[in-house]
Amino acid sequence: GGGGGGGGGATASAKANEIKLEEGSEPDWEDEASIVCKLTCLCIVGIEDPVRPEVPEAIKRCQRAGITVRMVTGDNVNTARSIAIKCGIVTPGEEWLVLEGKEFNRRIRDESGEVQQHLFDKVWPRLRVLARSSPSDKYVLVKHIIESKLNPNREVVAVTGDGTNDGPALKKADVGFAMGIAGTDVAKEASDIILTDDNFSSIVKAVMWGRNVYDSIAKFLQFQLTVNVVAVIVAFIGACAIEDSPLKAVQMLWVNLIMDTLASLALATEMPTQDLLLRRPYGRTKPLISRTMMKNIIGHALYQLTVIFFLLFFGHRMFDIDSGLGTPLHAPPSQHFTIIFNTFVMMTLFNEINSRKIHGERNIFQGLFTNPIFYSI
């Protein structure tokens, strides 16, 4: 743009010196041969599209979280490589692939021009930049990464785009991010999430919140299953051993209605933290209840059952109170069973603090006072 303007100025100047145009008149612009001659280069202007300052850090956080970032662009391969290095998509010293669309297609297609998955699988793991690409290249890349059997877990692919041509790739991807400002209506319709600020760092926030929601569900499940396992076993064994449930119906209702409702509110309102981006993503087929969670559930259930059954059969001797065992069905409440109920509630309450952590962390109190709803409940 700048260069063109400078050239136009030089042309008019040269032509005016040669033909001596009258003031206010113009040369014959149709006479191209006489216009484009005897030009003087005044300047060469280079225009750079700068990388946003927050993008390199956002990409680093994605990579730490186990997300591979790839650039697919129609720009020149040298321009694309330069921007990829600035962003941290390509790091010096690593054997990443930076390909043009023509070379990419030559590598993944057979003699008949069909894309072959086994050829594609040789390219995509190391591919970081695809330059001079067509819209169909973006779609092929997304489609065949999803269909790849190279890894035991299927790849989950997210795509960003703003143009109409990005529609097929956005639709095919597991998650499509469209641009809210620069994006076309077609791209927005084909996408799952619209970034209202057109900023890559918003994708990192989306990842963080997604993981936070998943963890919140897992935390509540860990808490809920521990309570339920203990309550069911206590009620069943109590009914078999002493022909009466140590936890009465009203007490069980209180535990379920009050403890579980408030617990779900307390555990589900935790805000996301940067620690969520320091681990790899969950697999698509990974069970919601992980081995660590199962260990926590079984371990704490055994602890609670041991304490409750000790109090049930030996508590009246330890506290030197009347035994609640063998009392008539409609007997008034006993101190013995009240101690059992209160102990169960307290153990459940403290287990709620344990349930804040589901990945085997040792410090369960970390960030305890960042959530007012939690500590209020």
Side-chain angles (χ1 to χ4, degrees):
T11 304
S13 175
K15 193 71 177 170
N17 290 339
E18 187 178 330
I19 305 173
K20 296 188 178 356
L21 290 171
E22 295 179 12
E23 190 177 348
S25 63
E26 286 192 15
D28 182 10
W29 296 109
E30 300 297 326
D31 186 5
E32 191 174 335
S34 62
I35 294 291
V36 187
C37 67
K38 297 183 180 180
L39 300 179
T40 302
C41 179
L42 298 180
C43 65
I44 297 174
V45 178
I47 301 174
E48 182 186 16
D49 192 7
V51 175
R52 290 186 184 184
E54 68 273 11
V55 169
E57 179 57 32
I59 289 175
K60 281 181 188 174
R61 288 161 69 191
C62 275
Q63 291 166 342
R64 280 198 298 267
I67 300 166
T68 301
V69 181
R70 292 181 174 86
M71 179 194 291
V72 185
T73 176
D75 284 344
N76 178 281
V77 67
N78 295 316
T79 305
R81 184 187 287 109
S82 172
I83 293 172
I85 290 170
K86 286 179 183 176
C87 291
I89 294 172
V90 174
T91 49
E94 299 284 346
E95 293 186 6
W96 304 129
L97 280 179
V98 179
L99 298 178
E100 286 191 323
K102 193 181 291 185
E103 174 65 14
F104 172 71
N105 281 289
R106 189 187 66 76
R107 292 194 183 198
I108 66 170
R109 295 179 187 272
D110 58 14
E111 293 80 4
S112 61
E114 294 296 321
V115 178
Q116 297 297 322
Q117 189 67 47
H118 70 278
L119 295 174
F120 184 86
D121 286 343
K122 293 177 182 177
V123 175
W124 76 262
R126 293 191 298 122
L127 180 67
R128 289 297 179 271
V129 178
L130 183 57
R132 284 284 180 220
S133 64
S134 64
S136 61
D137 292 340
K138 196 171 191 177
Y139 177 80
V140 165
L141 184 67
V142 172
K143 179 177 183 287
H144 287 278
I145 288 180
I146 289 174
E147 293 176 359
S148 175
K149 300 288 192 296
L150 209 57
N151 296 326
N153 293 325
R154 175 170 95 64
E155 298 291 322
V156 177
V157 181
V159 170
T160 67
D162 56 7
T164 302
N165 291 333
D166 294 321
L170 288 166
K171 195 76 174 172
K172 182 66 180 175
D174 295 294
V175 184
F177 289 93
M179 303 300 153
I181 301 170
T184 61
D185 290 340
V186 173
K188 291 176 186 177
E189 284 295 324
S191 66
D192 303 295
I193 297 171
I194 297 174
L195 303 178
T196 54
D197 57 357
D198 287 15
N199 199 327
F200 187 87
S201 59
S202 297
I203 296 175
V204 182
K205 290 178 185 174
V207 171
M208 199 188 297
W209 273 101
R211 292 185 177 189
N212 187 58
V213 169
Y214 187 101
D215 279 6
S216 295
I217 295 168
K219 288 172 188 176
F220 174 64
L221 271 179
Q222 178 176 288
F223 174 80
Q224 180 78 39
L225 288 174
T226 307
V227 175
N228 289 351
V229 165
V230 174
V232 167
I233 292 175
V234 167
F236 179 75
I237 293 182
C240 294
I242 62 172
E243 298 180 0
D244 188 15
S245 173
L247 299 173
K248 306 302 181 190
V250 175
Q251 294 174 339
M252 293 282 270
L253 274 172
W254 192 90
V255 168
N256 272 288
L257 292 175
I258 307 299
M259 297 291 290
D260 297 352
T261 306
L262 295 179
S264 63
L265 187 62
L267 293 170
T269 51
E270 294 268 337
M271 295 297 287
T273 63
Q274 294 295 330
D275 293 343
L276 292 167
L277 298 175
L278 299 178
R279 56 176 173 78
R280 297 187 65 78
Y282 291 111
R284 288 176 67 88
T285 56
K286 187 178 179 183
L288 186 59
I289 301 171
S290 64
R291 287 185 180 181
T292 306
M293 288 171 60
M294 190 62 74
K295 182 182 69 178
N296 293 344
I297 292 166
I298 294 172
H300 214 277
L302 288 173
Y303 155 68
Q304 290 190 24
L305 287 169
T306 303
V307 172
I308 288 172
F309 284 130
F310 177 81
L311 290 175
L312 180 62
F313 295 111
F314 304 104
H316 57 287
R317 296 176 193 168
M318 187 172 72
F319 294 111
D320 193 22
I321 55 175
D322 293 334
S323 172
L325 303 175
T327 54
L329 190 61
H330 298 291
S334 64
Q335 283 184 310
H336 185 193
F337 279 14
T338 303
I339 288 173
I340 292 171
F341 172 66
N342 277 332
T343 305
F344 174 55
V345 168
M346 284 298 174
M347 288 191 295
T348 303
L349 190 65
F350 282 98
N351 189 38
E352 187 161 342
I353 300 174
N354 292 333
S355 298
R356 293 182 65 249
K357 304 296 178 184
I358 54 172
H359 297 292
E361 297 94 334
R362 296 296 180 193
N363 184 9
I364 57 168
F365 300 106
Q366 184 182 3
L368 185 68
F369 295 106
T370 58
N371 184 6
I373 297 177
F374 184 89
Y375 61 71
S376 299
I377 288 174

